[in-house]
Amino acid sequence: MARRYDPDRRQRIIDAAIAVVGERGIAGLSHRAVAAAADVPLGSTTYHFATLDELLVAALRQSNVVCLADFARWVDGIDPAAPLAEEVARLVEETLSGDRRRMELEYELYLAALRHEAVRPVAAECLDEMVRLLGARIGDLRTARTVVALTDGLVLQHLLTGQPFDPEVVRAGLARVLG
């Protein structure tokens, strides 16, 4: 039997892994579930990704591309005349008013690094790139790292609690923290 030429198979497997995590969470990720979602033989998933950690790394890398592109757009749009606290509050508000399922998926993949050591460097690379982007814009890497951490915390807490976002409360709190 001739081998089927399928140059997009690896990408379909990554896309399927992201879809599986989005639907079932990290606990629902398996080679079998991904193979079914990608409509490929089970052996294809293990051929391209010998372990689930390899698959998680690829899924997080792909998710990070979208996340970093959004963050870079925000950084480019920062108004240098506006207080940084106001700009950060705008980022959090825009993030929370976006696609909630996408945000949950991004955080699920990101937080997988807590239990999957192979994923940690990929999560750290994304954070470091966010700090680099913001730091280049505002001229202070320490503040940039703090802003990235604050933003993550604010978004994650709102996703977890479901509390309504109050931009004024966030602006005032950030202004006190950022000075």
Side-chain angles (χ1 to χ4, degrees):
M1 180 195 273
R3 196 176 208 176
R4 184 175 160 216
Y5 179 68
D6 188 358
D8 299 326
R9 184 172 291 195
R10 185 176 193 284
Q11 184 59 52
R12 281 201 331 273
I13 291 169
I14 295 168
D15 292 342
I18 290 170
V20 167
V21 171
E23 292 169 12
R24 305 178 195 177
I26 295 291
L29 184 69
S30 69
H31 282 287
R32 188 171 307 283
V34 171
D39 194 26
V40 299
L42 178 59
S44 287
T45 63
T46 57
Y47 172 79
H48 289 285
F49 303 97
T51 67
L52 286 178
D53 279 355
E54 288 178 21
L55 191 52
L56 272 172
V57 165
L60 182 56
R61 282 196 191 284
Q62 183 165 310
S63 177
N64 285 352
V65 168
V66 175
C67 176
L68 286 170
D70 288 348
F71 190 77
R73 273 191 294 281
W74 171 74
V75 168
D76 289 343
I78 289 175
D79 179 356
L84 184 57
E86 189 167 313
E87 292 297 299
V88 173
R90 179 176 59 84
L91 170 64
V92 173
E93 185 170 27
E94 288 172 4
T95 301
L96 290 172
S97 65
D99 182 356
R100 182 181 173 90
R101 284 183 45 112
R102 181 182 140 209
M103 290 309 307
E104 289 171 351
L105 170 68
E106 286 179 4
Y107 274 102
E108 181 120 22
L109 289 168
Y110 172 60
L111 294 172
L114 292 173
R115 300 233 183 247
H116 300 269
E117 194 170 325
V119 182
R120 284 184 197 147
V122 179
E125 286 169 14
C126 184
L127 292 171
D128 289 344
E129 180 61 10
M130 292 170 84
V131 169
R132 188 195 69 72
L133 288 166
L134 182 57
R137 178 71 177 197
I138 66 172
D140 180 357
L141 288 175
R142 284 178 159 172
T143 300
R145 186 158 302 280
T146 301
V147 167
V148 169
L150 285 169
T151 304
D152 257 347
L154 287 167
V155 171
L156 187 56
Q157 284 183 12
H158 278 84
L159 288 172
L160 290 172
T161 65
Q163 291 181 351
F165 178 74
D166 184 342
E168 289 310 313
V169 169
V170 171
R171 277 186 195 95
L174 287 169
R176 284 191 299 277
V177 170
L178 295 172

